[in-house]
Amino acid sequence: MSLLKHKDLLIIIPAYNESKNIGALLEKMSDEGLRDMADLLIINDGSTDDTSYIAKGMGVRVIDQIYNMGYGCALWTGYKYATVLGYKYLIQMDADGQHDTSNIMALYDRIRVGDADIVIGSRFVPGAGEYHMSGIRRFAVKLFSWIIKLGTGKVINDPTSGLQAMTDDVFGFYSQYGNFDDRYPDANMLMQMLLLGYRVEETAAVMHSRVSGRAMHSGLKPVLYMMRMTLSLITVWWRIRVYKRDIRRKKQRK
């Protein structure tokens, strides 16, 4: 039973020092009527600017994390919140304005069809808008997509997209300890969910370049990120493979 009266859909927005972007994003969501059909939750990840103050001033619910614990921890906080309150659907999006608000209804309509557990807002499927990406990041996306296809047989064109819709089965699973990478969640989580039998699909999304502030993947970070995520994808594949093998052995012994 939920603790507070709420809508079926919760939109979670992790934010760290996004005072220059968060106000415009929330205002646009209000203008488009999105706040009438969904609840919003800002997870303020230890910002040192006015991110929390601006969001609260616009009447949006905010969870203030005392320290900057990272994007993954902010998402995990949102998943636990949605699980405790009993939401049916969840959409996660960025606070920097790169995820166009027009994607929200498209994702919501798609997840409600019932043929997917996770719907990715993809930059690389027919119908998506133009999006500029550096050569190293584009290479990383293709590499991760290839590894996921090799490990699961499923083609995911945009495995690094943070714009996702999911059902309560998914964020309820994520909310449990050990089921979500709260440090570097990305393509590795899609690999995990596909291997566990969850249905992952994509829908075209419109995304923009960051207007202001510093992106997470700047400088040499994309190279380190690519190396780390490649290792994580292989680790996830091996861990789930061992897990399934152990399950089979237990069944055979019975």
Side-chain angles (χ1 to χ4, degrees):
M1 182 176 179
S2 63
L3 303 177
L4 299 172
K5 185 177 180 180
H6 58 72
K7 304 177 179 68
D8 284 344
L9 172 64
L10 176 67
I11 301 174
I12 64 171
I13 307 176
Y16 175 64
N17 289 344
E18 293 290 356
S19 61
K20 294 181 179 179
N21 299 311
I22 194 69
L25 173 64
L26 295 177
E27 184 175 357
K28 189 174 182 182
M29 295 179 79
S30 295
D31 292 343
E32 295 177 1
L34 295 174
R35 293 181 62 177
D36 296 327
M37 49 77 66
D39 290 336
L40 303 187
L41 175 67
I42 303 295
I43 302 100
N44 174 39
D45 189 28
S47 297
T48 57
D49 63 5
D50 292 332
T51 295
S52 179
Y53 176 80
I54 293 170
K56 290 175 181 176
M58 299 180 73
V60 177
R61 189 167 296 158
V62 178
I63 293 178
D64 290 309
Q65 304 201 134
I66 299 175
Y67 306 106
N68 174 230
M69 296 187 288
Y71 177 72
C73 280
L75 286 176
W76 196 33
T77 296
Y79 299 149
K80 289 184 284 186
Y81 177 95
T83 299
V84 170
L85 268 66
Y87 283 91
K88 189 173 183 180
Y89 304 106
L90 179 148
I91 292 177
Q92 62 186 50
M93 64 182 297
D94 292 347
D96 57 13
Q98 293 192 77
H99 296 162
D100 196 285
T101 54
S102 65
N103 298 310
I104 297 299
M105 284 306 302
L107 284 168
Y108 187 40
D109 290 341
R110 184 70 177 81
I111 196 69
R112 287 189 296 170
V113 171
D115 61 355
D117 302 302
I118 301 172
V119 177
I120 304 168
S122 177
R123 295 162 287 190
F124 309 121
V125 297
E130 293 185 7
Y131 183 80
H132 173 72
M133 181 179 285
S134 67
I136 185 64
R137 288 189 62 194
R138 191 171 292 274
F139 174 78
V141 169
K142 291 183 178 180
L143 174 64
F144 302 158
S145 180
W146 177 76
I147 294 174
I148 290 174
K149 181 181 179 182
L150 192 66
T152 70
K154 176 73 175 181
V155 175
I156 301 294
N157 296 284
D158 195 357
T160 66
S161 173
L163 179 63
Q164 297 181 17
M166 59 191 70
T167 66
D168 53 357
D169 285 341
V170 174
F171 62 76
F173 177 80
Y174 280 161
S175 70
Q176 299 175 49
Y177 182 78
N179 290 346
F180 185 73
D181 183 354
D182 60 3
R183 296 193 65 192
Y184 307 108
D186 211 321
N188 52 346
M189 291 296 93
L190 297 178
M191 169 79 92
Q192 169 186 273
M193 301 309 274
L194 284 166
L195 289 171
L196 291 175
Y198 288 86
R199 301 165 299 170
V200 181
E201 300 295 341
E202 295 179 273
T203 190
V206 177
M207 299 193 192
H208 311 287
S209 298
R210 171 182 277 268
V211 177
S212 62
R214 187 176 179 83
M216 288 190 298
H217 301 302
S218 57
L220 292 175
K221 289 181 180 179
V223 178
L224 299 175
Y225 156 76
M226 181 174 63
M227 295 170 61
R228 183 187 298 119
M229 188 53 55
T230 298
L231 179 60
S232 182
L233 282 164
I234 296 171
T235 302
V236 167
W237 175 82
W238 178 255
R239 178 168 54 83
I240 299 297
R241 184 170 181 266
V242 171
Y243 168 77
K244 289 183 175 180
R245 183 196 63 191
D246 291 343
I247 293 296
R248 288 195 300 267
R249 288 179 176 177
K250 289 180 180 178
K251 288 182 178 180
Q252 291 172 355
R253 291 169 184 168
K254 291 182 178 179

